[in-house]
Amino acid sequence: IISQNPPEKCRVCPGRGWYQASPVTDQWRADGPNSSQLGHGWLPEEKGDRSYRWSLKQATFFLRNTHKPYLVLEVHGFKGRCAALFRKWVRGQILVNDMPVGKFWLFWRHWKTLRFPLPKMDTPVLKVDIIVEQTFRAKDYPFGKFLHPVGITLHRAGLED
């Protein structure tokens, strides 16, 4: 259990037990030490020209709210031989604290930096959701071996001026 103040039964549990929560920062990188900022919907880290994680149809991560005006994501939709050959486009949207902040459409086969203006939010932590319209599963195509239906890859995310 990650918590600042867990119940007593969790503090003395012989299982995994309680541990102090890692601090949430306003930046996240796939090759960084802050994987605790990831929520549901992510596959393990992979390495290529840079480190990244594939999202599923919906994936969540958390950033500390430093009140900077932009959310910046470095993403790719076509990693891997099958995706580069057979995937046509990737569309989706970004939600921050369950509020839509922007849509994206990827059709170039290279890394893309997405920049979304953020409304003023008073919460200390921002919950960011990436939702893709259609996932891709390499196993459905010739030579494909990857079993998971994936959305996009994320190399880094953060708040910027």
Side-chain angles (χ1 to χ4, degrees), residues 71 92-96 99-104 115-117 129 131:
L71 171 66
Q93 66 175 327
I94 305 297
L95 306 173
V96 176
M99 183 175 8
V101 296
K103 295 184 177 196
F104 61 87
R115 189 173 172 93
F116 300 101
D129 290 300
I131 303 169

Side-chain angles (χ1 to χ4, degrees), residues 40-65:
H40 66 83
W42 296 101
L43 294 176
E45 179 186 352
E46 293 185 37
K47 297 192 186 291
D49 55 334
R50 57 190 82 181
S51 296
Y52 59 89
R53 285 186 184 249
W54 276 106
S55 76
L56 300 178
K57 183 167 180 59
Q58 181 169 349
T60 302
F61 64 91
F62 301 91
L63 297 172
R64 182 170 51 91
N65 189 0

Side-chain angles (χ1 to χ4, degrees), residues 63-114:
L63 297 172
R64 182 170 51 91
N65 189 0
T66 53
H67 305 284
K68 292 178 181 173
Y70 294 98
L71 171 66
V72 177
L73 308 173
E74 193 170 340
V75 300
H76 201 302
F78 305 93
K79 295 303 287 178
R81 181 175 54 172
C82 282
L85 290 173
F86 298 110
R87 197 171 201 186
K88 294 180 177 41
W89 50 262
V90 185
R91 281 195 301 228
Q93 66 175 327
I94 305 297
L95 306 173
V96 176
N97 292 352
D98 300 320
M99 183 175 8
V101 296
K103 295 184 177 196
F104 61 87
W105 185 12
L106 306 174
F107 52 90
W108 296 108
R109 282 147 173 77
H110 56 77
W111 288 99
K112 181 163 179 70
T113 301
L114 305 175

Side-chain angles (χ1 to χ4, degrees), residues 11-29:
R11 286 182 185 266
V12 296
C13 175
R16 187 161 184 218
W18 173 79
Y19 55 95
Q20 186 69 37
S22 299
V24 175
T25 68
D26 69 345
Q27 302 292 315
W28 179 87
R29 289 181 64 94

Side-chain angles (χ1 to χ4, degrees), residues 93-161:
Q93 66 175 327
I94 305 297
L95 306 173
V96 176
N97 292 352
D98 300 320
M99 183 175 8
V101 296
K103 295 184 177 196
F104 61 87
W105 185 12
L106 306 174
F107 52 90
W108 296 108
R109 282 147 173 77
H110 56 77
W111 288 99
K112 181 163 179 70
T113 301
L114 305 175
R115 189 173 172 93
F116 300 101
L118 290 174
K120 297 275 187 221
M121 296 186 185
D122 292 330
T123 59
V125 175
L126 301 176
K127 179 183 126 206
V128 182
D129 290 300
I130 299 172
I131 303 169
V132 295
E133 285 184 12
Q134 185 174 11
T135 57
F136 175 84
R137 188 171 75 163
K139 189 166 180 2
D140 296 339
Y141 297 90
F143 315 112
K145 295 181 179 144
F146 199 66
L147 300 173
H148 299 287
V150 295
I152 62 172
T153 61
L154 179 64
H155 170 62
R156 72 175 184 93
L159 302 180
E160 296 182 1
D161 288 319

